[in-house]
Amino acid sequence: MLWPLLLVIPVVLSGTLQHYQWAVSGLIWGLWALSLNIVWGYAGQLSVAQLSLGGVAGYTSTLLISLHGVTLLPAVLAGVVAAVVCSLLSALRPCDWTVSTSRSSQSASRRCSSR
């Protein structure tokens, strides 16, 4: 119910940059809350993997914008690519990465120690 309201706020309130930043921040925090609700609330697993991959994407795009002068859209796309690469690397070598779900940590430690 809150999503349409957040999309309308910048248009209604004169469209200043600050209102856009508030709306985008609200949407981002809403997405994080939804992802944690699905993983932790419905599946019963405490996982911070999506938060860490979001951090990788945000850090990559921020570095590209601030240090190299890349515009917003290519920087965000590069951040998404960096997060996907980190996700694929963690899927290929799960024993080399920190296991972030509490229920799978025991099975992963057994799987890693049997190598």
Side-chain angles (χ1 to χ4, degrees):
M1 289 288 205
L2 188 61
W3 299 99
L5 180 64
L6 287 175
L7 292 173
V8 172
I9 286 174
V11 176
V12 172
L13 298 175
S14 75
T16 63
L17 180 61
Q18 185 178 12
H19 295 118
Y20 285 115
Q21 290 173 343
W22 287 348
V24 168
S25 293
L27 289 171
I28 289 171
W29 283 103
L31 285 174
W32 290 129
L34 284 174
S35 69
L36 284 176
N37 183 28
I38 290 171
V39 174
W40 196 4
Y42 292 119
Q45 296 180 348
L46 176 60
S47 174
V48 293
Q50 68 271 23
L51 299 175
S52 63
L53 292 174
V56 167
Y59 186 71
T60 302
S61 61
T62 301
L63 283 179
L64 288 174
I65 290 171
S66 63
L67 296 180
H68 300 292
V70 178
T71 58
L72 181 64
L73 186 60
V76 169
L77 292 175
V80 169
V81 168
V84 168
V85 167
C86 286
S87 175
L88 291 174
L89 287 175
S90 68
L92 291 175
R93 303 280 301 184
C95 298
D96 294 342
W97 293 74
T98 303
V99 177
S100 60
T101 56
S102 59
R103 289 189 181 175
S104 64
S105 62
Q106 293 173 350
S107 62
S109 64
R110 277 184 259 142
R111 186 176 62 229
C112 294
S113 62
S114 64
R115 283 189 178 184

